[in-house]
Amino acid sequence: IRDEQSGYNKNLFCIPKHYEEDLERVFIPHGLILDRTERLARDIMQDMGSHHIVALCVLKGGYKFFADLLDHIKALNQNGDKSVPITVDFVRIKSYC
C-alpha cells in the first residue's frame, strides 16, 4: 500500500451503524489483511523448515491477529507434507508503568 493511496470509499463496505459517522474512508480492507496474514504464515512455515515454532502473543491488542496467523499456520501444518511442533504462549505488557 503506497503512502499516497487515499483509501476506499466507505460506501463499498458494510460498516456498522455506530461507526458510520466516525469513518471517512477504509484504508486497508479486511480481506487484504487476511490475505497478507495467510502469506505471512506461508513465509513463516517456509523459513522455519522443520524447526519447532514458538509463537508468543502480546496481549491484549495482538490477540486477533495472532489467532488468525496461527489458524493459517496450523492449516499449513496439517495439510503440508511436513508437520512441525508449535508451542503457543502469551505475555501481557503494561506500557504506562
Side-chain angles (χ1 to χ4, degrees):
I1 299 173
R2 297 183 177 156
D3 288 340
E4 62 273 3
Q5 186 173 344
S6 62
Y8 301 89
N9 187 315
K10 71 177 183 179
N11 294 327
L12 298 172
F13 302 91
C14 296
I15 307 291
K17 289 271 187 210
H18 57 279
Y19 288 131
E20 283 180 349
E21 296 300 317
D22 298 324
L23 291 177
E24 214 174 283
R25 304 190 69 67
V26 173
F27 287 100
I28 306 174
H30 184 110
L32 180 58
I33 293 170
L34 288 178
D35 183 65
R36 295 299 297 147
T37 304
E38 182 177 0
R39 179 55 195 243
L40 180 59
R42 288 182 186 187
D43 291 347
I44 289 170
M45 289 296 290
Q46 183 177 6
D47 291 346
M48 292 302 293
S50 60
H51 294 349
H52 183 147
I53 295 175
V54 178
L56 181 65
C57 177
V58 178
L59 295 174
K60 295 184 179 180
Y63 176 73
K64 178 65 174 140
F65 166 74
F66 183 77
D68 290 343
L69 180 62
L70 270 187
D71 285 344
H72 289 298
I73 288 174
K74 287 178 183 177
L76 291 168
N77 204 19
Q78 291 173 351
N79 299 325
D81 43 340
K82 61 182 176 186
S83 180
V84 297
I86 301 173
T87 301
V88 177
D89 211 343
F90 300 86
V91 62
R92 188 170 183 182
I93 298 173
K94 293 183 180 182
S95 58
Y96 298 104
C97 290

